[in-house]
Amino acid sequence: MAGLCEGGNEPPGSLKASKPVYTQLGLIEEATEKINLVPGYVGEKVSEKLKSLLQKNPGLTVLRTVADILAGKTPEHEYAVPLHLIPTFK
């Protein structure tokens, strides 16, 4: 564990600031899908907790909208994002 912070080494799958926002959100979506596949009581509880946490984060909807725009897609979420702010998310 000591080597993780030394020399800029990061654990596999860690989020870096140099990755585009849509790539980082894709990692969140991928993890959510995998967690939702965990069977049983524990899987259900973890899935419910993750869903609750994501719903409590209103900024995530903004980030998803910006990510869709930056990726050239029509945003899934109808959330007003001032156009002058979009370049700051690159």
Side-chain angles (χ1 to χ4, degrees), residues 1-11 16:
M1 279 296 227
L4 292 179
C5 294
E6 296 171 9
N9 294 330
E10 296 185 28
K16 287 181 158 180

Side-chain angles (χ1 to χ4, degrees), residues 1-4 7 9 18 22-23 43 54-55 63 65 68 71 83 85 87:
M1 279 296 227
L4 292 179
N9 294 330
S18 62
Y22 52 86
T23 301
L54 294 177
Q55 287 175 344
L63 286 176
T65 301
D68 286 344
L83 293 177
L85 291 179

Side-chain angles (χ1 to χ4, degrees), residues 24-90:
Q24 293 181 9
L25 287 172
L27 295 173
I28 293 171
E29 299 301 324
E30 184 181 328
T32 300
E33 289 173 13
K34 289 180 180 181
I35 288 171
N36 288 337
L37 294 175
V38 176
Y41 177 79
V42 172
E44 182 181 325
K45 290 297 177 185
V46 171
S47 187
E48 287 174 7
K49 179 65 174 179
L50 178 60
K51 183 178 177 181
S52 172
L53 287 172
L54 294 177
Q55 287 175 344
K56 290 178 183 176
N57 185 347
L60 190 57
T61 302
V62 174
L63 286 176
R64 285 181 175 148
T65 301
V66 170
D68 286 344
I69 293 168
L70 291 175
K73 301 178 193 173
T74 302
E76 279 183 38
H77 313 282
E78 293 194 24
Y79 192 91
V81 177
L83 293 177
H84 72 278
L85 291 179
I86 291 175
T88 63
F89 288 96
K90 280 191 169 183

